[in-house]
Amino acid sequence: MHALFEVHQFPSTNNVMDISSDVREDIRAFAFKGHAALGVEIMDAFPNLELIANYGVGFDTIDVAHASKKGIKVTNTPDVLTDDVADLAIGMLLSLTRDIVGASDWVRSGTWAKSGAYPLQRTISGKSIGVVGLGRIGRAIADRLQAFNTHIHYFARSEKDTPGWVFHTDLIDMAKKVDILMVAVSGGPQTSGLISKEVIDALGNDGVIVNSARGTTLDEEALIQALQTHQLRGAALDVFNNEPHIDERFSKLSNVLLQPHQSSGTIETRKNMGALQRQNLSAFFAGDPLVTAVN
Ligand code: 8YV
């Protein structure tokens, strides 16, 4: 029991419809975490639902249009996770291009002592990097990349005040001009399949893609084929379609770095995300303005 609200646990069956109709009628807010769809059917089963407080900045699985139609407010957790997400994107890029994981295994397995130096890897200094989406996270990624002596290009809805960075309105054109794509757009229908086969082809066989956004932003089939046939040098992925049951072909590829959707996964950031989610819930029950409203 919280001072302002009573908490009902999510049913162990993992199905919200197993909550009794009495309790469903009582519930005025959801503390939502996860990436499963929260759409019409669930919202309509809770007749007094007024708030969905999401644990995460991305709310692509929540049908916000339907929520708005019903007067349900949605909140998210922006800003508090930006640094960690950007840090992991840079970490993934460096790890992939220098093969830090493979090199570590080389030492551990005794191959270094037996076979000598590790095969040479690739630099990122001096490379042109295209950031797809220059929102909070894309901006933080680009800021960090600047310290690595790279040339920053970005694809966004509008030009930003970022002297020296090259603005693009055509993603295929940007992909032709850069060596590396860092994907940092929001998920959802507007960005679904944005990194298409054409974009991957335009990047070319020395290209690298880092995806910190959502699996849906990429044409996964085209990506896997490009990696299998070495039409693309490599990819570092923190997000996938159908997480955590990702396409098995990814695990067989040696030119990918795979992460379990953990960009915001530090003790500090997850604590701050939880605190912001609770602040939104408390504000709602106290009748105060929401801290980070989406709609
Ligand atoms: C997840 C994320 O929310 O913020 C986002 O949009 O994708 C992550 O931070 C987190 O994994 C909890 O599900």
Side-chain angles (χ1 to χ4, degrees), residues 57 82 85-86 89 92 130-142 145 154-157 171 174 181-187 191 194-195 209-214 217-218 239 263:
V57 65
T82 301
V85 175
M92 290 197 296
V131 180
V132 184
L134 209 71
R136 297 180 189 86
I137 293 171
R139 180 71 197 249
I141 291 173
L145 285 170
Y154 66 98
F155 169 80
R157 272 190 295 252
L171 185 52
M174 180 170 88
L181 276 187
M182 307 291 289
V183 187
V185 279
S186 314
T191 57
L194 182 68
I195 312 299
I209 296 177
V210 177
N211 190 9
S212 315
R214 286 289 183 263
T217 60
L218 265 162
V239 285
S263 287

mmCIF file of all heavy atoms in Angstrom, residues 57 82 85-86 89 92 130-142 145 154-157 171 174 181-187 191 194-195 209-214 217-218 239 263:
data_model
loop_
_atom_site.group_PDB
_atom_site.id
_atom_site.type_symbol
_atom_site.label_atom_id
_atom_site.label_comp_id
_atom_site.label_asym_id
_atom_site.label_seq_id
_atom_site.Cartn_x
_atom_site.Cartn_y
_atom_site.Cartn_z
ATOM 1 N N VAL A 57 11.535 5.401 -22.153
ATOM 2 C CA VAL A 57 11.267 6.601 -22.956
ATOM 3 C C VAL A 57 10.404 6.256 -24.166
ATOM 4 O O VAL A 57 9.551 7.029 -24.588
ATOM 5 C CB VAL A 57 12.583 7.317 -23.362
ATOM 6 C CG1 VAL A 57 13.428 6.459 -24.300
ATOM 7 C CG2 VAL A 57 12.317 8.661 -23.977
ATOM 8 N N THR A 82 19.204 8.922 -21.074
ATOM 9 C CA THR A 82 19.903 9.345 -22.300
ATOM 10 C C THR A 82 21.396 8.994 -22.267
ATOM 11 O O THR A 82 21.928 8.425 -23.231
ATOM 12 C CB THR A 82 19.720 10.865 -22.507
ATOM 13 O OG1 THR A 82 18.323 11.130 -22.597
ATOM 14 C CG2 THR A 82 20.419 11.345 -23.757
ATOM 15 N N VAL A 85 22.139 5.185 -22.573
ATOM 16 C CA VAL A 85 21.826 4.637 -23.896
ATOM 17 C C VAL A 85 22.909 5.076 -24.890
ATOM 18 O O VAL A 85 23.417 4.266 -25.683
ATOM 19 C CB VAL A 85 20.414 5.055 -24.362
ATOM 20 C CG1 VAL A 85 20.148 4.577 -25.792
ATOM 21 C CG2 VAL A 85 19.347 4.505 -23.420
ATOM 22 N N ALA A 86 23.300 6.343 -24.811
ATOM 23 C CA ALA A 86 24.348 6.846 -25.716
ATOM 24 C C ALA A 86 25.686 6.161 -25.421
ATOM 25 O O ALA A 86 26.420 5.791 -26.342
ATOM 26 C CB ALA A 86 24.476 8.361 -25.573
ATOM 27 N N ALA A 89 25.736 2.756 -26.961
ATOM 28 C CA ALA A 89 25.844 2.828 -28.428
ATOM 29 C C ALA A 89 27.313 2.995 -28.826
ATOM 30 O O ALA A 89 27.802 2.330 -29.749
ATOM 31 C CB ALA A 89 24.996 3.984 -28.961
ATOM 32 N N MET A 92 29.161 -0.215 -28.079
ATOM 33 C CA MET A 92 28.886 -1.253 -29.084
ATOM 34 C C MET A 92 29.691 -0.992 -30.353
ATOM 35 O O MET A 92 30.221 -1.912 -30.969
ATOM 36 C CB MET A 92 27.390 -1.311 -29.406
ATOM 37 C CG MET A 92 26.543 -1.867 -28.274
ATOM 38 S SD MET A 92 24.889 -2.392 -28.822
ATOM 39 C CE MET A 92 24.168 -0.872 -29.343
ATOM 40 N N GLY A 130 26.725 8.632 -39.691
ATOM 41 C CA GLY A 130 25.375 9.161 -39.871
ATOM 42 C C GLY A 130 24.504 8.769 -38.686
ATOM 43 O O GLY A 130 24.318 7.581 -38.410
ATOM 44 N N VAL A 131 23.995 9.772 -37.991
ATOM 45 C CA VAL A 131 23.104 9.500 -36.855
ATOM 46 C C VAL A 131 21.670 9.608 -37.372
ATOM 47 O O VAL A 131 21.276 10.630 -37.936
ATOM 48 C CB VAL A 131 23.363 10.500 -35.703
ATOM 49 C CG1 VAL A 131 22.440 10.197 -34.526
ATOM 50 C CG2 VAL A 131 24.830 10.436 -35.268
ATOM 51 N N VAL A 132 20.910 8.543 -37.202
ATOM 52 C CA VAL A 132 19.528 8.524 -37.704
ATOM 53 C C VAL A 132 18.609 8.919 -36.554
ATOM 54 O O VAL A 132 18.389 8.142 -35.621
ATOM 55 C CB VAL A 132 19.163 7.118 -38.247
ATOM 56 C CG1 VAL A 132 17.767 7.136 -38.848
ATOM 57 C CG2 VAL A 132 20.191 6.661 -39.287
ATOM 58 N N GLY A 133 18.134 10.167 -36.601
ATOM 59 C CA GLY A 133 17.306 10.698 -35.517
ATOM 60 C C GLY A 133 18.159 11.519 -34.573
ATOM 61 O O GLY A 133 19.039 10.967 -33.914
ATOM 62 N N LEU A 134 17.924 12.833 -34.546
ATOM 63 C CA LEU A 134 18.737 13.669 -33.650
ATOM 64 C C LEU A 134 17.867 14.233 -32.513
ATOM 65 O O LEU A 134 17.838 15.428 -32.258
ATOM 66 C CB LEU A 134 19.442 14.795 -34.422
ATOM 67 C CG LEU A 134 20.770 15.233 -33.801
ATOM 68 C CD1 LEU A 134 21.852 14.178 -33.971
ATOM 69 C CD2 LEU A 134 21.260 16.556 -34.407
ATOM 70 N N GLY A 135 17.173 13.304 -31.849
ATOM 71 C CA GLY A 135 16.456 13.669 -30.621
ATOM 72 C C GLY A 135 17.449 13.648 -29.471
ATOM 73 O O GLY A 135 18.656 13.773 -29.685
ATOM 74 N N ARG A 136 16.932 13.472 -28.266
ATOM 75 C CA ARG A 136 17.811 13.514 -27.086
ATOM 76 C C ARG A 136 18.930 12.483 -27.193
ATOM 77 O O ARG A 136 20.105 12.785 -26.965
ATOM 78 C CB ARG A 136 17.020 13.190 -25.818
ATOM 79 C CG ARG A 136 15.931 14.162 -25.471
ATOM 80 C CD ARG A 136 15.271 13.674 -24.198
ATOM 81 N NE ARG A 136 14.077 14.403 -23.871
ATOM 82 C CZ ARG A 136 12.859 14.118 -24.345
ATOM 83 N NH1 ARG A 136 12.686 13.115 -25.197
ATOM 84 N NH2 ARG A 136 11.812 14.829 -23.976
ATOM 85 N N ILE A 137 18.565 11.248 -27.560
ATOM 86 C CA ILE A 137 19.562 10.169 -27.556
ATOM 87 C C ILE A 137 20.513 10.300 -28.748
ATOM 88 O O ILE A 137 21.733 10.193 -28.598
ATOM 89 C CB ILE A 137 18.864 8.787 -27.506
ATOM 90 C CG1 ILE A 137 18.167 8.628 -26.143
ATOM 91 C CG2 ILE A 137 19.850 7.651 -27.751
ATOM 92 C CD1 ILE A 137 17.267 7.416 -26.008
ATOM 93 N N GLY A 138 19.955 10.601 -29.930
ATOM 94 C CA GLY A 138 20.803 10.774 -31.112
ATOM 95 C C GLY A 138 21.815 11.886 -30.895
ATOM 96 O O GLY A 138 22.993 11.765 -31.257
ATOM 97 N N ARG A 139 21.368 12.949 -30.262
ATOM 98 C CA ARG A 139 22.236 14.096 -29.983
ATOM 99 C C ARG A 139 23.378 13.700 -29.026
ATOM 100 O O ARG A 139 24.531 14.068 -29.211
ATOM 101 C CB ARG A 139 21.355 15.202 -29.381
ATOM 102 C CG ARG A 139 22.047 16.469 -29.025
ATOM 103 C CD ARG A 139 22.446 17.185 -30.300
ATOM 104 N NE ARG A 139 23.449 18.179 -29.975
ATOM 105 C CZ ARG A 139 23.249 19.484 -30.021
ATOM 106 N NH1 ARG A 139 22.105 19.973 -30.403
ATOM 107 N NH2 ARG A 139 24.208 20.318 -29.707
ATOM 108 N N ALA A 140 23.004 12.929 -28.002
ATOM 109 C CA ALA A 140 24.021 12.498 -27.023
ATOM 110 C C ALA A 140 25.036 11.554 -27.680
ATOM 111 O O ALA A 140 26.228 11.590 -27.360
ATOM 112 C CB ALA A 140 23.347 11.813 -25.834
ATOM 113 N N ILE A 141 24.563 10.744 -28.621
ATOM 114 C CA ILE A 141 25.479 9.851 -29.356
ATOM 115 C C ILE A 141 26.422 10.698 -30.219
ATOM 116 O O ILE A 141 27.645 10.500 -30.220
ATOM 117 C CB ILE A 141 24.683 8.844 -30.220
ATOM 118 C CG1 ILE A 141 23.953 7.830 -29.326
ATOM 119 C CG2 ILE A 141 25.594 8.129 -31.223
ATOM 120 C CD1 ILE A 141 22.998 6.897 -30.067
ATOM 121 N N ALA A 142 25.860 11.672 -30.936
ATOM 122 C CA ALA A 142 26.676 12.520 -31.819
ATOM 123 C C ALA A 142 27.687 13.340 -31.011
ATOM 124 O O ALA A 142 28.848 13.487 -31.415
ATOM 125 C CB ALA A 142 25.770 13.433 -32.641
ATOM 126 N N LEU A 145 30.479 11.109 -30.211
ATOM 127 C CA LEU A 145 31.269 10.737 -31.389
ATOM 128 C C LEU A 145 32.211 11.854 -31.838
ATOM 129 O O LEU A 145 33.250 11.596 -32.438
ATOM 130 C CB LEU A 145 30.341 10.340 -32.538
ATOM 131 C CG LEU A 145 29.709 8.968 -32.387
ATOM 132 C CD1 LEU A 145 28.623 8.758 -33.424
ATOM 133 C CD2 LEU A 145 30.778 7.867 -32.496
ATOM 134 N N TYR A 154 23.666 13.777 -39.974
ATOM 135 C CA TYR A 154 22.447 13.318 -39.296
ATOM 136 C C TYR A 154 21.233 13.439 -40.191
ATOM 137 O O TYR A 154 21.157 14.300 -41.063
ATOM 138 C CB TYR A 154 22.225 14.057 -37.968
ATOM 139 C CG TYR A 154 21.927 15.538 -38.092
ATOM 140 C CD1 TYR A 154 20.608 16.014 -38.051
ATOM 141 C CD2 TYR A 154 22.954 16.465 -38.239
ATOM 142 C CE1 TYR A 154 20.332 17.374 -38.160
ATOM 143 C CE2 TYR A 154 22.686 17.827 -38.350
ATOM 144 C CZ TYR A 154 21.376 18.275 -38.308
ATOM 145 O OH TYR A 154 21.116 19.614 -38.424
ATOM 146 N N PHE A 155 20.306 12.522 -39.951
ATOM 147 C CA PHE A 155 19.026 12.498 -40.656
ATOM 148 C C PHE A 155 17.966 12.809 -39.609
ATOM 149 O O PHE A 155 17.868 12.115 -38.592
ATOM 150 C CB PHE A 155 18.804 11.105 -41.266
ATOM 151 C CG PHE A 155 17.421 10.872 -41.792
ATOM 152 C CD1 PHE A 155 17.042 11.366 -43.029
ATOM 153 C CD2 PHE A 155 16.493 10.141 -41.051
ATOM 154 C CE1 PHE A 155 15.761 11.145 -43.522
ATOM 155 C CE2 PHE A 155 15.211 9.915 -41.540
ATOM 156 C CZ PHE A 155 14.844 10.425 -42.775
ATOM 157 N N ALA A 156 17.206 13.884 -39.845
ATOM 158 C CA ALA A 156 16.196 14.288 -38.854
ATOM 159 C C ALA A 156 15.081 15.021 -39.577
ATOM 160 O O ALA A 156 15.196 15.337 -40.758
ATOM 161 C CB ALA A 156 16.831 15.192 -37.797
ATOM 162 N N ARG A 157 13.998 15.289 -38.830
ATOM 163 C CA ARG A 157 12.865 15.997 -39.442
ATOM 164 C C ARG A 157 13.230 17.428 -39.782
ATOM 165 O O ARG A 157 12.782 17.982 -40.758
ATOM 166 C CB ARG A 157 11.667 15.969 -38.497
ATOM 167 C CG ARG A 157 10.799 14.733 -38.674
ATOM 168 C CD ARG A 157 9.529 14.903 -37.889
ATOM 169 N NE ARG A 157 9.814 14.956 -36.461
ATOM 170 C CZ ARG A 157 9.529 13.997 -35.601
ATOM 171 N NH1 ARG A 157 8.928 12.909 -36.010
ATOM 172 N NH2 ARG A 157 9.820 14.102 -34.326
ATOM 173 N N LEU A 171 17.577 9.762 -46.431
ATOM 174 C CA LEU A 171 18.359 8.773 -45.679
ATOM 175 C C LEU A 171 19.279 7.951 -46.589
ATOM 176 O O LEU A 171 20.420 7.638 -46.219
ATOM 177 C CB LEU A 171 17.404 7.866 -44.902
ATOM 178 C CG LEU A 171 18.015 6.839 -43.959
ATOM 179 C CD1 LEU A 171 19.009 7.458 -42.993
ATOM 180 C CD2 LEU A 171 16.924 6.107 -43.195
ATOM 181 N N MET A 174 22.248 9.980 -47.342
ATOM 182 C CA MET A 174 23.184 10.036 -46.207
ATOM 183 C C MET A 174 23.961 8.720 -46.105
ATOM 184 O O MET A 174 25.179 8.734 -45.889
ATOM 185 C CB MET A 174 22.453 10.315 -44.890
ATOM 186 C CG MET A 174 23.415 10.371 -43.707
ATOM 187 S SD MET A 174 22.674 10.969 -42.172
ATOM 188 C CE MET A 174 22.051 9.444 -41.469
ATOM 189 N N LEU A 181 26.269 3.880 -39.579
ATOM 190 C CA LEU A 181 24.952 4.436 -39.234
ATOM 191 C C LEU A 181 24.656 4.120 -37.780
ATOM 192 O O LEU A 181 24.742 2.956 -37.360
ATOM 193 C CB LEU A 181 23.846 3.795 -40.081
ATOM 194 C CG LEU A 181 23.536 4.312 -41.478
ATOM 195 C CD1 LEU A 181 22.285 3.605 -42.008
ATOM 196 C CD2 LEU A 181 23.337 5.830 -41.513
ATOM 197 N N MET A 182 24.297 5.144 -37.012
ATOM 198 C CA MET A 182 23.891 4.956 -35.619
ATOM 199 C C MET A 182 22.388 5.219 -35.571
ATOM 200 O O MET A 182 21.951 6.347 -35.836
ATOM 201 C CB MET A 182 24.594 5.964 -34.697
ATOM 202 C CG MET A 182 26.109 6.014 -34.816
ATOM 203 S SD MET A 182 26.946 4.532 -34.202
ATOM 204 C CE MET A 182 26.728 4.668 -32.442
ATOM 205 N N VAL A 183 21.589 4.213 -35.260
ATOM 206 C CA VAL A 183 20.128 4.367 -35.331
ATOM 207 C C VAL A 183 19.587 4.753 -33.950
ATOM 208 O O VAL A 183 19.747 4.011 -32.976
ATOM 209 C CB VAL A 183 19.463 3.077 -35.839
ATOM 210 C CG1 VAL A 183 17.977 3.308 -36.072
ATOM 211 C CG2 VAL A 183 20.142 2.592 -37.119
ATOM 212 N N ALA A 184 18.937 5.929 -33.898
ATOM 213 C CA ALA A 184 18.475 6.450 -32.600
ATOM 214 C C ALA A 184 17.103 7.116 -32.717
ATOM 215 O O ALA A 184 16.794 8.029 -31.955
ATOM 216 C CB ALA A 184 19.507 7.438 -32.047
ATOM 217 N N VAL A 185 16.297 6.659 -33.671
ATOM 218 C CA VAL A 185 14.941 7.224 -33.810
ATOM 219 C C VAL A 185 13.979 6.520 -32.842
ATOM 220 O O VAL A 185 14.259 5.430 -32.362
ATOM 221 C CB VAL A 185 14.364 7.033 -35.237
ATOM 222 C CG1 VAL A 185 14.880 8.054 -36.192
ATOM 223 C CG2 VAL A 185 14.617 5.616 -35.742
ATOM 224 N N SER A 186 12.831 7.135 -32.606
ATOM 225 C CA SER A 186 11.793 6.468 -31.814
ATOM 226 C C SER A 186 11.210 5.333 -32.636
ATOM 227 O O SER A 186 11.198 5.397 -33.866
ATOM 228 C CB SER A 186 10.642 7.424 -31.499
ATOM 229 O OG SER A 186 11.134 8.639 -31.056
ATOM 230 N N GLY A 187 10.681 4.326 -31.940
ATOM 231 C CA GLY A 187 10.001 3.238 -32.644
ATOM 232 C C GLY A 187 8.587 3.652 -33.025
ATOM 233 O O GLY A 187 8.196 4.797 -32.807
ATOM 234 N N THR A 191 8.518 4.953 -38.117
ATOM 235 C CA THR A 191 9.919 4.596 -38.401
ATOM 236 C C THR A 191 10.075 3.108 -38.727
ATOM 237 O O THR A 191 11.198 2.628 -38.851
ATOM 238 C CB THR A 191 10.825 4.944 -37.200
ATOM 239 O OG1 THR A 191 10.315 4.263 -36.040
ATOM 240 C CG2 THR A 191 10.872 6.436 -36.947
ATOM 241 N N LEU A 194 12.483 1.767 -41.532
ATOM 242 C CA LEU A 194 13.217 2.955 -42.021
ATOM 243 C C LEU A 194 14.600 2.575 -42.578
ATOM 244 O O LEU A 194 15.021 3.049 -43.618
ATOM 245 C CB LEU A 194 13.367 3.958 -40.865
ATOM 246 C CG LEU A 194 14.050 5.275 -41.158
ATOM 247 C CD1 LEU A 194 13.191 6.134 -42.075
ATOM 248 C CD2 LEU A 194 14.325 6.041 -39.859
ATOM 249 N N ILE A 195 15.289 1.704 -41.850
ATOM 250 C CA ILE A 195 16.588 1.237 -42.347
ATOM 251 C C ILE A 195 16.267 0.061 -43.273
ATOM 252 O O ILE A 195 16.287 -1.115 -42.887
ATOM 253 C CB ILE A 195 17.529 0.821 -41.191
ATOM 254 C CG1 ILE A 195 17.565 1.897 -40.100
ATOM 255 C CG2 ILE A 195 18.930 0.511 -41.711
ATOM 256 C CD1 ILE A 195 18.081 3.255 -40.549
ATOM 257 N N ILE A 209 26.353 -0.816 -38.971
ATOM 258 C CA ILE A 209 25.119 -0.266 -38.391
ATOM 259 C C ILE A 209 25.086 -0.576 -36.901
ATOM 260 O O ILE A 209 25.352 -1.714 -36.485
ATOM 261 C CB ILE A 209 23.863 -0.877 -39.072
ATOM 262 C CG1 ILE A 209 23.811 -0.496 -40.553
ATOM 263 C CG2 ILE A 209 22.586 -0.425 -38.359
ATOM 264 C CD1 ILE A 209 22.638 -1.108 -41.320
ATOM 265 N N VAL A 210 24.753 0.443 -36.106
ATOM 266 C CA VAL A 210 24.541 0.242 -34.667
ATOM 267 C C VAL A 210 23.093 0.620 -34.381
ATOM 268 O O VAL A 210 22.673 1.738 -34.690
ATOM 269 C CB VAL A 210 25.500 1.131 -33.830
ATOM 270 C CG1 VAL A 210 25.227 0.966 -32.333
ATOM 271 C CG2 VAL A 210 26.958 0.790 -34.151
ATOM 272 N N ASN A 211 22.320 -0.293 -33.810
ATOM 273 C CA ASN A 211 20.906 -0.001 -33.549
ATOM 274 C C ASN A 211 20.611 -0.003 -32.054
ATOM 275 O O ASN A 211 20.679 -1.030 -31.389
ATOM 276 C CB ASN A 211 20.002 -1.020 -34.261
ATOM 277 C CG ASN A 211 18.530 -0.606 -34.222
ATOM 278 O OD1 ASN A 211 18.192 0.503 -33.809
ATOM 279 N ND2 ASN A 211 17.652 -1.501 -34.647
ATOM 280 N N SER A 212 20.286 1.191 -31.541
ATOM 281 C CA SER A 212 19.908 1.334 -30.128
ATOM 282 C C SER A 212 18.440 1.706 -30.011
ATOM 283 O O SER A 212 17.976 2.056 -28.928
ATOM 284 C CB SER A 212 20.690 2.477 -29.473
ATOM 285 O OG SER A 212 22.037 2.446 -29.791
ATOM 286 N N ALA A 213 17.710 1.681 -31.141
ATOM 287 C CA ALA A 213 16.351 2.233 -31.157
ATOM 288 C C ALA A 213 15.300 1.154 -30.881
ATOM 289 O O ALA A 213 14.948 0.893 -29.723
ATOM 290 C CB ALA A 213 16.109 2.911 -32.496
ATOM 291 N N ARG A 214 14.842 0.517 -31.921
ATOM 292 C CA ARG A 214 13.887 -0.580 -31.830
ATOM 293 C C ARG A 214 14.178 -1.529 -32.980
ATOM 294 O O ARG A 214 14.611 -1.088 -34.053
ATOM 295 C CB ARG A 214 12.440 -0.070 -31.984
ATOM 296 C CG ARG A 214 11.895 0.665 -30.778
ATOM 297 C CD ARG A 214 11.634 -0.283 -29.600
ATOM 298 N NE ARG A 214 11.057 0.381 -28.465
ATOM 299 C CZ ARG A 214 11.742 0.814 -27.410
ATOM 300 N NH1 ARG A 214 13.048 0.655 -27.352
ATOM 301 N NH2 ARG A 214 11.122 1.384 -26.384
ATOM 302 N N THR A 217 12.735 -0.661 -36.490
ATOM 303 C CA THR A 217 13.264 0.396 -37.360
ATOM 304 C C THR A 217 14.076 -0.169 -38.527
ATOM 305 O O THR A 217 14.350 0.523 -39.497
ATOM 306 C CB THR A 217 14.156 1.385 -36.573
ATOM 307 O OG1 THR A 217 15.237 0.659 -36.011
ATOM 308 C CG2 THR A 217 13.382 2.081 -35.476
ATOM 309 N N LEU A 218 14.478 -1.428 -38.387
ATOM 310 C CA LEU A 218 15.335 -2.073 -39.390
ATOM 311 C C LEU A 218 14.577 -3.138 -40.157
ATOM 312 O O LEU A 218 13.781 -3.866 -39.573
ATOM 313 C CB LEU A 218 16.418 -2.836 -38.639
ATOM 314 C CG LEU A 218 17.745 -2.177 -38.410
ATOM 315 C CD1 LEU A 218 18.505 -2.880 -37.320
ATOM 316 C CD2 LEU A 218 18.517 -2.333 -39.696
ATOM 317 N N VAL A 239 18.611 -4.108 -29.915
ATOM 318 C CA VAL A 239 17.153 -4.262 -30.041
ATOM 319 C C VAL A 239 16.830 -5.119 -31.263
ATOM 320 O O VAL A 239 17.560 -5.096 -32.259
ATOM 321 C CB VAL A 239 16.477 -2.877 -30.165
ATOM 322 C CG1 VAL A 239 16.447 -2.161 -28.830
ATOM 323 C CG2 VAL A 239 17.173 -2.024 -31.204
ATOM 324 N N SER A 263 20.466 -1.082 -23.057
ATOM 325 C CA SER A 263 21.067 0.259 -23.113
ATOM 326 C C SER A 263 20.821 1.071 -21.843
ATOM 327 O O SER A 263 21.697 1.792 -21.380
ATOM 328 C CB SER A 263 20.503 1.047 -24.289
ATOM 329 O OG SER A 263 21.024 0.560 -25.484
#
